[in-house]
Amino acid sequence: MLEASLQGLLLIFSVSSLTFMFLGIAFGLLIGFLPGLGGIVAMALLLPFTFGMNPPEAFALLIGAHTGTIFGSSITSILFNVPGASKSVVVCFDGFPMTQRGEGVRALAAGATASLLGGIIGAIVLTVSLPLMKMVMMALTPPEYFMMAIWGLTIIAIFSDGSVLKGLVAAGFGLAISFIGMDPVTGTARYTFGFAEMIDGFDVPVAIMGLFAISQMIKLYVKGGSIVERDQSLANSKSGLIEGIKDAFRHWRVVLQSSFLGVFIGALPGVGASVSSIAAYGVAVQTSKTPERFGKGAVEGVIAPEATNASSEGGHLIPTLAFGIPGSEVAVILLAAFVMLGIQPGREMLEYNLPLVFNLVWLIVLTNIFSTGFGLMMSPYLVRMTALPGNFLIPIILAVCVAGSYAMNKSMLDVVVAIVFGIIGYYMDKYKYSRADMVIGLVLGLMIERYMQISLTLYGNNFLMERPLTSVFAVLIILSVIYPFARKKLAKRKAALGG
Amino acid sequence: MSRRAQENLVAFLFLFFFLAMTFLSFDYSYKARLVPVPVFVVSALIMLLQMYFMNFKKDVNLNVDAAELLTGGKSNSSTNGPEKTENVKIQKVEGGSELSAILMIVGYLVMTLLIGILPAIFLFVLVFFVFITKMKWYISLLVTLATEVSIYILFSYVLQINFFQGWLVKLFLG
């Protein structure tokens, strides 16, 4: 195994592989910058170019591009509240308030370092868990997936700044929007008002772009000024960078728990990376001693989703390599590349092509190191963009948002949807109906409905009782809701005893 | 319009949305409405409860940070009222009115639908820089051209996307 690992590493160190890896990272960073376009777009665009390449070169290009998009989309999320991809939306919740406070460099540095650590942990777990994950994946069935989605909903209250009831309404609104389109079981077109274009429902990244990016530009226009005062954005650049790196190590528990969660959820086929970043954020809040800081610029709120987003890449590869089942859309592209290169994933790959498996693992590690290095180097310069006057940024960001929303499905309906959601998002923010809660409802709605319907079909009305593992998840949900209360009470009792 | 009236209007719009969706659901089969209807009904009930609190329980402080729900403690927003999220001193450039912002966005959308994405970007960015940012016309033109060319290179050349051409362009040029 050690020999295969070394062979895998050596495969990267050829001039062509290294060149393709850097090209991939640069391309990924560029695509990540563009709102709405994530790793899937970057890899899909590069796939045709891999024809005729040898496997290490093709993997270097594809993995490099995908890793690049992760950090690229985080930059826009942290600095402008414009999520580059749907999984980066959680980074906005605390990243942007940090930027507004003049701590953009610290947020970028903390995010980049957490991403690096998450990527490395993801790669290590991928290596260790390949033989074990089969059992875990086989044990989980639709009722457990359903319970995981319900678990995701338990963090709604965290974002309900202003009123818990309003937060719940916002989540209900998000769930309602997720139901628009074809019913996953009967195939009925629901709430489409006869528009054939709406049968597939609203594209989540398009809606998120409207809710956060366009509404932020409306807010900036109304408010005037810039995102951050110039002096504030440039001050403490160096110390912010070092503080950010230290933050990721200082909150090593958040990095660890988020990375493991990222690998675990990433390994489950059909569960998107946005779900894992929401879950990691929720766990970070629930285990924090000061949960009230979240949503207002807590650095752990940047570290948790960044570590998860990076580690879930290792997770996605587990079912792809072990069984040939793509764990995500990105893994589908990778699977297509395997087929194109004549590689058969699954048992055969693990037995006869082990150096290639390790080549992928090492690529995850190295591309994370290089894109983090780039991120740390560039963050003091990137953060200066936030000091530009709002009236300079607004038309450019709006233009990129319109082009980006159209580019996703080449549909003008998406542009209309992004702008309508932009206006809705502005008013939701104004009247304190949490947009974050709406996104959680939007992302988890389909998962809840799909797995509940499948569970009902497979196990009947008592599906929650039929499966012992579901009960374990139910206990976890109850524990995660009552844990903060219990901890608060214990702390009070301790203080009383101490006093 | 008072803040309370505005809050009520927004709450009513949400309530109307949930009720309309519930009503529409009965056009679909039992399986297709199994999950949506309970979500709509519960959301409508929560909205009604929120409206009741807003209008009849004036002594109840609704600015409860949800962190309280988790920690049982009092956070800044509940003790000191809503937190000022924009606490940075940044009023160097005057802001515009809300109505003009919405009209601008809707106008941009209509322009995109009529003349297509790339020409609309050029016109919108140029007009914005000249009339709102009040930059000198030649600088505005330069920045607009740079934006247009960058978007063209990134989307049309690199990503191979053929942008929407606009209804008017299709009507007159086919």
Side-chain angles (χ1 to χ4, degrees):
Chain A
M1 197 150 162
L2 193 69
E3 197 187 328
S5 173
L6 267 173
Q7 280 177 354
L9 180 63
L10 287 173
L11 284 173
I12 301 172
F13 291 104
S14 70
V15 177
S16 56
S17 285
L18 282 173
T19 311
F20 283 122
M21 185 177 77
F22 288 121
L23 275 176
I25 293 172
F27 185 72
L29 283 166
L30 183 72
I31 296 291
F33 253 86
L34 302 175
L37 305 180
I40 177 88
V41 175
M43 288 177 81
L45 285 166
L46 290 178
L47 187 64
F49 295 101
T50 59
F51 190 75
M53 284 183 187
N54 63 42
E57 290 169 354
F59 293 162
L61 187 69
L62 294 174
I63 299 284
H66 183 54
T67 311
T69 57
I70 297 174
F71 187 67
S73 58
S74 300
I75 296 169
T76 51
S77 305
I78 290 170
L79 299 184
F80 304 110
N81 208 20
V82 178
S86 54
K87 65 182 173 186
S88 299
V89 73
V90 184
V91 182
C92 295
F93 300 162
D94 282 277
F96 187 63
M98 281 183 81
T99 300
Q100 284 181 307
R101 230 169 37 204
E103 293 182 327
V105 176
R106 185 181 166 193
L108 283 172
T113 315
S115 183
L116 169 69
L117 297 174
I120 293 173
I121 294 169
I124 295 169
V125 176
L126 164 69
T127 313
V128 176
S129 65
L130 266 174
L132 302 171
M133 274 310 274
K134 187 178 177 181
M135 286 186 297
V136 178
M137 285 172 59
M138 293 299 187
L140 296 179
T141 54
E144 283 83 42
Y145 283 77
F146 169 73
M147 292 305 279
M148 269 195 277
I150 298 290
W151 180 42
L153 284 180
T154 59
I155 62 163
I156 281 174
I158 294 157
F159 297 109
S160 309
D161 186 17
S163 156
V164 177
L165 292 178
K166 282 184 177 178
L168 291 172
V169 168
F173 186 56
L175 284 167
I177 299 293
S178 75
F179 297 140
I180 295 174
M182 196 188 285
D183 169 43
V185 174
T186 61
T188 315
R190 296 177 305 184
Y191 320 108
T192 58
F193 303 99
F195 288 102
E197 293 89 348
M198 281 169 66
I199 283 180
D200 288 334
F202 293 128
D203 214 19
V204 175
V206 173
I208 288 173
M209 199 193 297
L211 279 172
F212 286 87
I214 295 178
S215 74
Q216 190 60 40
M217 291 306 111
I218 300 175
K219 196 175 168 184
L220 193 58
Y221 176 82
V222 174
K223 179 174 70 83
S226 52
I227 294 173
V228 188
E229 198 175 2
R230 184 167 176 80
D231 304 339
Q232 208 169 356
S233 86
L234 299 180
N236 305 323
S237 281
K238 268 188 186 170
S239 61
L241 190 73
I242 296 161
E243 270 303 298
I245 298 170
K246 278 185 185 168
D247 278 329
F249 289 100
R250 205 176 286 144
H251 300 288
W252 59 272
R253 272 189 196 157
V254 177
V255 173
L256 266 184
Q257 74 194 22
S258 307
S259 304
F260 282 114
L261 199 65
V263 179
F264 174 67
I265 298 183
L268 304 173
V271 185
S274 356
V275 177
S276 59
S277 57
I278 288 171
Y281 189 91
V283 173
V285 178
Q286 282 157 345
T287 54
S288 167
K289 285 176 184 166
T290 49
E292 67 278 0
R293 291 186 304 111
F294 280 78
K296 292 167 189 144
V299 74
E300 303 98 296
V302 177
I303 291 171
E306 287 286 22
T308 304
N309 284 343
S311 69
S312 64
E313 299 317 311
H316 293 323
L317 286 180
I318 293 171
T320 315
L321 295 175
F323 320 112
I325 303 167
S328 65
E329 286 168 319
V330 168
V332 173
I333 305 282
L334 209 59
L335 205 60
F338 285 160
V339 174
M340 233 166 72
L341 298 163
I343 301 165
Q344 180 66 45
R347 202 176 150 183
E348 193 186 312
M349 186 166 183
L350 294 180
E351 277 182 20
Y352 305 109
N353 270 324
L354 206 53
L356 268 186
V357 174
F358 280 106
N359 177 242
L360 280 168
V361 174
W362 281 113
L363 273 170
I364 294 174
V365 175
L366 286 178
T367 52
N368 266 295
I369 291 172
F370 288 119
S371 60
T372 301
F374 173 82
L376 292 176
M377 231 165 40
M378 293 303 290
S379 49
Y381 305 100
L382 290 168
V383 88
R384 290 176 190 215
M385 288 194 288
T386 56
L388 286 171
N391 280 348
F392 186 83
L393 285 177
I394 293 165
I396 297 174
I397 292 184
L398 280 178
V400 175
C401 282
V402 165
S405 54
Y406 178 81
M408 261 181 254
N409 298 308
K410 297 181 187 70
S411 157
M412 270 312 282
L413 183 73
D414 283 343
V415 178
V416 178
V417 167
I419 287 180
V420 170
F421 273 93
I423 296 170
I424 292 174
Y426 172 75
Y427 283 107
M428 283 182 74
D429 184 51
K430 185 178 173 183
Y431 294 104
K432 304 273 178 216
Y433 288 86
S434 164
R435 291 173 296 174
D437 282 343
M438 184 183 163
V439 171
I440 291 167
L442 196 59
V443 171
L444 297 179
L446 272 179
M447 191 174 160
I448 289 172
E449 186 174 23
R450 187 191 306 137
Y451 289 116
M452 185 178 161
Q453 295 275 27
I454 297 173
S455 305
L456 281 169
T457 311
L458 288 176
Y459 301 98
N461 289 341
N462 291 328
F463 70 91
L464 290 176
M465 307 295 158
E466 292 274 327
R467 306 253 328 149
L469 257 177
T470 314
S471 315
V472 174
F473 272 101
V475 172
L476 272 177
I477 291 169
I478 295 166
L479 281 179
S480 62
V481 171
I482 61 167
Y483 173 66
F485 293 100
R487 198 181 51 191
K488 185 89 187 169
K489 240 183 176 168
L490 277 174
K492 266 186 185 170
R493 191 180 290 176
K494 241 183 194 175
L497 282 174
Chain B
M1 204 189 287
S2 69
R3 177 78 186 189
R4 184 171 294 274
Q6 288 179 46
E7 289 274 2
N8 275 320
L9 182 67
V10 174
F12 177 78
L13 286 175
F14 270 116
L15 184 64
F16 176 78
F17 172 81
F18 290 126
L19 292 177
M21 292 291 263
T22 312
F23 180 73
L24 283 174
S25 302
F26 290 97
D27 285 347
Y28 310 122
S29 66
Y30 169 74
K31 277 214 157 187
R33 61 172 192 257
L34 179 68
V35 181
V37 168
V39 170
F40 300 147
V41 172
V42 170
S43 302
L45 288 174
I46 294 170
M47 197 71 262
L48 279 172
L49 195 63
Q50 169 73 15
M51 288 168 93
Y52 168 75
F53 276 125
M54 279 192 315
N55 294 289
F56 301 105
K57 286 268 182 187
K58 290 174 190 172
D59 54 322
V60 174
N61 182 6
L62 285 175
N63 289 319
V64 180
D65 192 307
E68 285 180 33
L69 195 77
L70 295 169
T71 60
K74 289 276 176 193
S75 64
N76 283 341
S77 58
S78 62
T79 49
N80 307 329
E83 192 187 355
K84 287 173 189 165
T85 46
E86 308 301 335
N87 53 359
V88 183
K89 308 153 268 170
I90 43 171
Q91 292 301 325
K92 279 182 182 166
V93 179
E94 282 286 303
S97 77
E98 207 168 74
L99 183 68
S100 62
I102 304 296
L103 283 177
M104 178 185 77
I105 297 269
V106 173
Y108 179 32
L109 174 65
V110 172
M111 199 158 66
T112 305
L113 288 168
L114 290 177
I115 61 173
I117 290 177
L118 283 176
I121 285 175
F122 184 82
L123 272 181
F124 174 71
V125 176
L126 184 66
V127 168
F128 195 100
F129 280 145
V130 171
F131 293 103
I132 297 172
T133 314
K134 296 196 169 48
M135 280 197 324
K136 285 176 182 149
W137 70 268
Y138 54 89
I139 300 176
S140 303
L141 191 65
L142 269 178
V143 180
T144 306
L145 279 173
T147 309
E148 185 85 2
V149 170
S150 308
I151 288 176
Y152 177 79
I153 291 175
L154 282 175
F155 288 94
S156 294
Y157 186 72
V158 179
L159 302 179
Q160 298 283 306
I161 286 160
N162 291 320
F163 278 124
F164 176 73
Q165 287 188 322
W167 294 332
L168 284 182
V169 177
K170 280 182 186 166
L171 188 71
F172 291 109
L173 301 176

